[in-house]
Amino acid sequence: MKTIKILALAVFAVQFASGQSSLTVDDLDLYQNQNVRIGTKSFSDDVEGSPYYTEEFVLASMSMDGAESSGNAYVRYDIYSDVMEIASLKDGSDKSFAMQDSRITIDFGDKTFRYMTFSRNGNEVSGYLEILTETNGQTLAVRHSKEVKTTELTGASGYQRQKPPRFADTIEFFLIDADGKAVKFENHKKKILKGLTDDKAKQVKQYIKENKIKFDDSYRGLIAVAKYYSELS
């Protein structure tokens, strides 16, 4: 079994002065002196696929409270454990874990992530979300997750065998308001209406029809609908 890795947690000691200050990897390390422990979940060596968003560490810009303080670090997102690994070396040999704080934004250039807490159907959810757009005080975000799945195969003789376990990917879309209340969206012309109230579903359906909105992997259609939905009273 791969062992669970738990770090001795370093001090988060950024001192904010007037104007912009610089964040270092040590500054962005996690929560020391708050009795918080974090680590990566274990999994067996025969699991196929990867627990990561990207296999390699990628140079990313990390900022706190907008442009108040910023700096660069090599970052790798472990989706399976929902932790951001950060390092000052490209090979990640000195890696630790980034602070799980909604004030910190991690920008990979073409993707932006933030640790957020939101509520849906009375349940509170926390984790890293990919930010697609922010409009009218609301955030459209993607929640990535991975789980280990096994599949049993039954042959003609009735004999059952298991395929090697593998990482299975799931993505969910949420529109989150300023109070942390979330509405689940779908990147699909019809499915997007299911999580909406009847009145708003009718308006969104009409908007999609009139504007010939298309839903694809660019998320342009989904973003357009989210912006329209955020304007509805």
Side-chain angles (χ1 to χ4, degrees):
M1 298 286 289
K2 293 188 178 180
T3 56
I4 297 176
K5 302 171 184 175
I6 297 181
L7 299 181
L9 306 175
V11 178
F12 179 63
V14 177
Q15 299 296 323
F16 293 103
S18 58
Q20 190 178 44
S21 57
S22 179
L23 287 176
T24 69
V25 169
D26 287 340
D27 293 329
L28 292 162
D29 210 349
L30 177 73
Y31 289 133
Q32 191 178 359
N33 300 327
Q34 296 184 32
N35 296 318
V36 177
R37 296 171 70 83
I38 189 172
T40 56
K41 295 193 295 186
S42 62
F43 55 90
S44 60
D45 291 326
D46 62 344
V47 178
E48 296 181 344
S50 171
Y52 300 110
Y53 186 73
T54 59
E55 197 66 28
E56 304 296 328
F57 280 81
V58 177
L59 188 63
S61 172
M62 305 181 73
S63 59
M64 181 173 235
D65 291 327
E68 286 291 318
S69 188
S70 63
N72 295 326
Y74 290 102
V75 183
R76 181 171 65 177
Y77 179 27
D78 182 339
I79 298 176
Y80 179 59
S81 302
D82 198 23
V83 296
M84 288 284 181
E85 300 175 348
I86 58 174
S88 58
L89 301 176
K90 189 173 182 179
D91 65 2
S93 57
D94 63 337
K95 73 177 182 182
S96 56
F97 298 117
M99 176 184 292
Q100 292 175 326
D101 190 311
S102 62
R103 296 173 299 166
I104 294 178
T105 298
I106 303 171
D107 188 351
F108 289 96
D110 59 340
K111 307 286 184 182
T112 300
F113 286 82
R114 187 179 305 138
Y115 192 86
M116 299 183 70
T117 298
F118 61 94
S119 62
R120 181 173 177 268
N121 298 330
N123 297 316
E124 188 174 275
V125 182
S126 295
Y128 283 103
L129 301 179
E130 178 189 345
I131 309 302
L132 295 184
T133 190
E134 294 178 292
T135 179
N136 297 317
Q138 300 190 45
T139 301
L140 178 65
V142 186
R143 186 185 185 201
H144 298 268
S145 60
K146 287 178 181 274
E147 60 178 320
V148 176
K149 284 191 173 182
T150 57
T151 304
E152 288 192 349
L153 300 177
T154 302
S157 63
Y159 174 74
Q160 289 187 332
R161 65 180 180 85
Q162 281 192 342
K163 293 179 65 177
R166 61 181 178 83
F167 284 109
D169 301 316
T170 301
I171 59 172
E172 298 174 291
F173 302 91
F174 296 98
L175 185 64
I176 306 168
D177 68 17
D179 295 322
K181 295 179 180 178
V183 175
K184 187 173 182 180
F185 271 28
E186 296 281 357
N187 190 31
H188 188 277
K189 180 179 179 180
K190 294 181 179 179
K191 292 180 180 179
I192 195 172
L193 305 175
K194 290 184 178 180
L196 310 182
T197 60
D198 289 344
D199 182 52
K200 290 186 176 181
K202 289 178 182 178
Q203 295 179 73
V204 169
K205 183 178 180 179
Q206 187 65 25
Y207 174 80
I208 292 172
K209 181 179 180 181
E210 289 179 355
N211 293 276
K212 298 179 181 179
I213 300 295
K214 295 183 179 180
F215 295 84
D216 53 34
D217 291 341
S218 72
Y219 300 147
R220 283 192 291 267
L222 182 66
I223 290 171
V225 171
K227 289 181 177 179
Y228 172 74
Y229 181 90
S230 70
E231 296 169 356
L232 298 177
S233 58

